[in-house]
Amino acid sequence: MPLIDLSKTSLRDLNASLHKLTADTNETLWTIVNPAGEHSIAAGVDAPITINIDGPVGYYCGGMNKHATIVVEGSAGQGVGENMMSGLIRVRGDASQSAGATGRGGLLIVEGNASARCGISMKGIDIVVKGSIGHLSAFMGQSGRLVVFGEAGEALGDSIYEAHLYVRGAVAGLGADCVEKEMRDEHRAELAELLKAAGEEHKIDVSEFRRYGSARQLYNFNIDNVDAY
Amino acid sequence: MCGIAGLFIKDRSLEPKLGELLTKMTATLCSRGPDSAGFAIYGSGKAAGKTKLVLAGPSKAYSLEPVMRELGLHLGPGADIHLLHTHAIVSLKAEDAGRVRSWVEAHAPEITIVSEGERLEIFKEVGYPTDVARDFGISGMSGTHGISHTRMATESAVTTNGSHPFSTGTDQCLVHNGSLSNHASLRRELRREGIPIRTENDTEVAAAYLTKQMRDGQSLGEALQSSLADLDGFFTFVVGTENGFGVLRDPIACKPAVMAETDQFVAFASEFKSLMCLPGIKNAKVWEPKPATVYFWEHQ
């Protein structure tokens, strides 16, 4: 059970140790203290381990994560879990801009709020935000699911492809080609499964959420839109 | 890149620690802007009818002392000149400020008046931010509010004059993270309107724009609001006035910004880690300012 104190160990050494781990490692529980908002903590991990980070982190924490479970006991800066492939990242505080950006898989849970561009260009990641999200979230979202217990800022889902968006609170505005869609049984089941994964099963009523997605009008070039270019 | 830190003190018992806290906040932002740094300090209290001008030479190598000796002889015994690292602080009766400006213009045009006001003092220089703070002794300064900037130059050269904060009006200053696209045309317009702009820097144009709007009767809040329509580009601004402290981000909110508020202070930083040195930060209200939204705090 390695305990790394970032006021004594360099970030580069920490990440190098994490990168050396293989799938069959016995060092499966790591604790990082004094993160002090440093950038790129535990980025690029590719092993089925658990990493507890005792305090706030800077940019790109857990970026490109594969298999690992990362828990941040504080807030996270820009791009937490960006391009993550699998595994779980849980932020106990708030997340800054671009949380889960371009994520391919895995689950990102933000217990507080996430700010602008949450899930921008998401490509398969699941994101559950227990607070609210900022403007331009899920911009060009291709696949994956974004669940928001609170409100969403301006231009939600702008130019969205096939990501599924579920928002419980008010949406300040929808972006281009993003529309509200009917909540059918299959969507209620999908949402219930995500709430379960986030540890909120039976605590929140799935019928309180509204679903948003692509109107599919921007997929292909349309000669009628030529004046817009 | 570029880094910004700002601290507006609500609890007066914290005023003696303004410089120390601002120095610590700035030190965490060196990697965002390693080429120059600057500090705007609104000192506690003011002497009635007095004004302060902070003068800087064109580079670190320039020797300000002999020039200041001549300026002192010109101004006479009513003026006090204090040299601090590469800057000089001239304190004198408010009505004599014009004498300093005209003397500098006639005898030492290479010198820049970096700030003028009853309370504002700006110190800025080329160099690593922690070195700049140390050389000016920022950590020993007290005050009601202050703003700092660490610069990674994009739009103009790495010089003392190209460093932030910029001041184009009495007791007003501005720092900027971002870059403006229409600064050349706006500079020409503002110069025609009689607003002095010294450099080719985009940020100085934003400062001058706000000065002009306020000269024409707008409040700082209104001036910031109109800048959303007139400035093209991306920006996070932090501005200071004699009593206040404001924040504005462009409508896309490109550049990072995080704020914290407690009963003791309101603080701004480019990154959360800059706020961690502040007392009671664990229980502070922390949030990211919304795009195209003017935030403003003022002392009564």
Side-chain angles (χ1 to χ4, degrees), chain A residues 21-22 47 50 60-61 73 80-81 83 88 120 146 154 171 207 226:
Chain A
L21 301 174
T22 51
T50 296
Y60 314 126
C61 177
E73 299 287 348
V80 60
N83 213 73
L88 170 76
I120 184 171
L146 171 64
E154 293 284 350
V171 173
S207 66
V226 74

Side-chain angles (χ1 to χ4, degrees), chain A residues 80-131:
Chain A
V80 60
E82 56 101 29
N83 213 73
M84 75 187 260
M85 306 299 285
S86 63
L88 170 76
I89 298 179
R90 184 186 291 273
V91 179
R92 299 266 191 217
D94 296 329
S96 183
Q97 299 187 38
S98 305
T102 74
R104 301 290 297 253
L107 174 63
L108 169 65
I109 300 168
V110 179
E111 308 264 359
N113 300 312
S115 70
R117 293 175 269 275
C118 176
I120 184 171
S121 197
M122 53 197 286
K123 298 179 174 73
I125 190 175
D126 290 329
I127 305 174
V128 177
V129 179
K130 296 191 182 176

Side-chain angles (χ1 to χ4, degrees), chain B residues 231-250:
Chain B
L231 300 182
D232 183 18
F234 49 98
F235 51 83
T236 290
F237 291 137
V238 179
V239 295
T241 64
E242 189 196 337
N243 297 316
F245 171 86
V247 171
L248 176 68
R249 302 174 84 187
D250 66 59

Side-chain angles (χ1 to χ4, degrees), chain A residues 16-217:
Chain A
S17 313
L18 293 171
H19 294 164
K20 272 189 211 143
L21 301 174
T22 51
D24 57 355
T25 179
N26 289 323
E27 300 286 15
T28 55
L29 181 60
W30 291 63
T31 302
I32 298 169
V33 296
N34 292 316
E38 274 300 332
H39 300 325
S40 309
I41 294 175
V45 178
D46 182 4
I49 59 170
T50 296
I51 304 170
N52 291 311
I53 305 173
D54 186 22
V57 295
Y59 294 2
Y60 314 126
C61 177
M64 302 170 282
N65 184 50
K66 234 174 163 180
H67 307 302
T69 295
I70 300 173
V71 180
V72 179
E73 299 287 348
S75 63
Q78 200 164 307
V80 60
E82 56 101 29
N83 213 73
M84 75 187 260
M85 306 299 285
S86 63
L88 170 76
I89 298 179
R90 184 186 291 273
V91 179
R92 299 266 191 217
D94 296 329
S96 183
Q97 299 187 38
S98 305
T102 74
R104 301 290 297 253
L107 174 63
L108 169 65
I109 300 168
V110 179
E111 308 264 359
N113 300 312
S115 70
R117 293 175 269 275
C118 176
I120 184 171
S121 197
M122 53 197 286
K123 298 179 174 73
I125 190 175
D126 290 329
I127 305 174
V128 177
V129 179
K130 296 191 182 176
S132 295
I133 58 172
H135 63 286
L136 275 170
S137 289
F139 176 70
M140 292 188 90
Q142 290 152 52
S143 65
R145 287 86 55 100
L146 171 64
V147 180
V148 183
F149 291 8
E151 299 180 356
E154 293 284 350
L156 175 70
D158 193 282
S159 307
I160 190 172
Y161 294 87
E162 291 302 313
H164 295 186
L165 314 181
Y166 298 98
V167 183
R168 187 163 66 155
V171 173
L174 295 173
D177 211 34
C178 184
V179 292
E180 185 174 350
K181 294 186 159 186
E182 185 195 356
M183 219 25 192
R184 295 192 299 269
D185 284 347
E186 74 239 47
H187 305 115
R188 279 186 276 274
E190 178 176 75
L191 182 54
E193 175 213 322
L194 287 162
L195 292 176
K196 187 179 173 188
E200 298 288 330
E201 197 185 16
H202 305 309
K203 291 188 211 162
I204 288 176
D205 186 353
V206 293
S207 66
E208 290 173 12
F209 287 80
R210 298 167 87 153
R211 181 169 77 101
Y212 304 89
S214 177
R216 304 189 177 105
Q217 298 301 301

Side-chain angles (χ1 to χ4, degrees), chain B residues 111-129:
Chain B
I111 285 180
T112 300
I113 298 170
V114 291
S115 71
E116 178 180 338
E118 291 186 331
R119 308 213 20 237
L120 170 65
E121 290 176 3
I122 288 179
F123 306 103
K124 58 183 190 178
E125 197 47 272
V126 170
Y128 203 63

